[in-house]
Structures are given as C-alpha cells and as structure tokens.
Amino acid sequence: MKVFRTISEMQSYSKSLHKDGKTIGFVPTMGYLHKGHLSLVKKAKEQTDAVVVSIFVNPTQFEPGSDLNRYPRDEKGDIDKLESNGVSAVFIPTVKEMYPEGYQTYVEVTELTKNLCGRFRPGHFKGVTTVVLKLFNIVQPDKAYFGKKDYQQFRVIERMCRDLNINVQIVPCPIVREKDGLAMSSRNIYLSKEERKDATIIHRAIEKGKKMILENERDAKKVIETMEKMIREKKTLKKIDYISIVDLHTLKDVSFIDSDVLIAVAAYFGSARLIDNAEVILNADYDA
Ligand code: AMP
C-alpha cells in the first residue's frame, strides 16, 4: 500500500491508474478508523479497481469551540487496518498542504445545509464541501463512498456533485453499529462507561419512532415527543441539539408524514456529540 503525503504524489498516482484503464474508488475519512469506515472500503473494493482512502482532520469543518484539538488520531493503527483491507493508497496531507498561506476559496451548498446539523454547526458543511471537492480534484475518483451515519453530509455532497457537474458517482453506505445498537463513531471514545451505556437510547428511540410511523402515526410532533421522553430519561444526557423528522431528499421538517422521511437525532452524552438516523420508507414491507 502506498502512503502519500503530498498532493502532487497523490495526483500523479491517480493519473497513472487512469492511464492503465483502472477505476478509482475513494473513501474520505478523518481517521481513527473503525468498522464503519472499513465497510466503505469493502464496498469500494467490490466496485472499483483501486481504493484510495484519505485521512485528514479538516480544520475548516470544525466550528470554533468544538473538538478539533482533541479529535482522536492513530495514524499507525489506521495504516495497518487499511493495508490489511487491501487498500491501494492512503493520502495523509498536512493542514499546510491542503490550506497553504493565502488560501481563500470555499464551496457552499445553500439549502440542504440549513436544517439538522447545519443549524447547530455554523460553517461546518462549507468546510466539508470545500475539502471534499479539493480531495476529489486531487484523487480524481470514479466513485466516492459516504456513510449514511452522516446522512446530511451524504445529501449535501450528492447535491454539490450534481450542481457543479462533478463527474464522481456518490455511493451511500449503511450505518454500521455496535452489538447494542450504538452507531460506530470515532467520537465514541469520548464516552465514559455510563455515558456509553446511556447513549444506546438514541438508536432505541429512533427505532421506536420508526415503528410508530410504520404503524400509521402521521403526526411528526407525537413521534418526536415520544422519542424525546425516552432520551431525556438518561442521566448522562447533557443536551439535545435536535430530534427531527425531515423529508428524505430536501431535509426540511415534515409535520404531517405522508412520504418517505428521515428520523435524525443529535445529542450530547457527556462531552460527546453523537448523531444517528434512520430512513423510514412508507410503502416498504415492515417486519415489526
Ligand atoms: P469520519 O472519519 O467520521 O469523517 O467518517 C468518514 C466516513 O465514514 C463518512 O462517510 C462517514 O459517514 C462514514 N462513517 C462513519 N461512521 C460510520 C458508521 N458507523 N457506519 C457507516 N459509515 C460510517
């Protein structure tokens, strides 16, 4: 597996792959890799000839006062995991390499970023779209893989590619969970034992909300109230940013549920901000 730290090395490697007629599957990450990340790598390996993974903790997507400085890192462990999962190259640039002095260009998706995490993390998605477009220009992938764990991010990137005619196919991948239902996340490392246990309520509340809708509850407020009650019972809950039921495509709040929706939650347990979600497809068969 090749390890590249400069943009020019990465670009010439991609160019040589394309010259040999190979397709490139790309998985952008911030490192501290877990099975969720590796599921994207696996999908990319199935669908493309060479898999490139980037590891970059992107400062422009961390709003002031968030966890940029303590974001977990384990470069050696990450490289070992990627190597044993058959990745062709890993791209690990420095902040200076990505944002040299004088940097001043940003990309923004304006509507899809207004609700959910965009409401609570000003500037976050502008940082995400900017870095992803830069990474696409560097890696030149045919397909790029994003987890539905960050559902809004997936929709925002999909929109950016459509709007700016970026010739990269965005492939959404299912959420990978721990045995007790907690969505895997690099940020779970921040949780104490008690917080870790309490945090499983997020997934259970979302599943309860999904069940209510599939059993014909149409009033979003009622579903949200039930979920909120469940989550608020947990002692280590610090704050709920949102419990929302939104249109699957526009991500706008829905009050009467008569089409496919996303149930999405962002809440703090201790100092860890956790997000999770589930799609609710109305006319699919449902096994209660
Ligand atoms: P991150 O390193 O947190 O920026 O995540 C990199 C990519 O992995 C993003 O596309 C995430 O949505 C995806 N990802 C993170 N956690 C999970 C998970 N539990 N299941 C599926 N994909 C995930």
Side-chain angles (χ1 to χ4, degrees), residues 163-226:
D163 288 354
L164 297 182
N165 313 100
I166 299 166
N167 201 9
V168 177
Q169 189 190 329
I170 304 304
V171 182
C173 302
I175 301 174
V176 177
R177 300 180 178 283
E178 303 286 356
K179 278 204 186 80
D180 58 12
L182 182 69
M184 288 195 182
S185 165
S186 308
R187 288 189 166 97
N188 292 349
I189 187 88
Y190 301 149
L191 297 166
S192 70
K193 213 169 153 203
E194 204 190 347
E195 290 158 4
R196 166 74 187 72
K197 206 166 146 225
D198 282 357
T200 58
I201 194 63
I202 298 178
H203 176 57
R204 273 182 282 135
I206 291 173
E207 285 301 300
K208 170 69 181 170
K210 186 170 170 178
K211 188 162 182 273
M212 285 175 75
I213 296 170
L214 291 173
E215 288 174 356
N216 273 330
E217 178 58 68
R218 290 289 166 264
D219 183 350
K221 203 165 150 232
K222 278 198 186 144
V223 178
I224 291 169
E225 276 168 9
T226 304

Side-chain angles (χ1 to χ4, degrees), residues 3 5 26 63 87 119 156 173 176 224 240 259 277 286:
V3 179
R5 295 181 191 274
F26 177 44
E63 66 280 23
V87 166
R119 260 178 68 206
V156 166
C173 302
V176 177
I224 291 169
I240 296 175
S259 60
N277 68 76
Y286 174 55

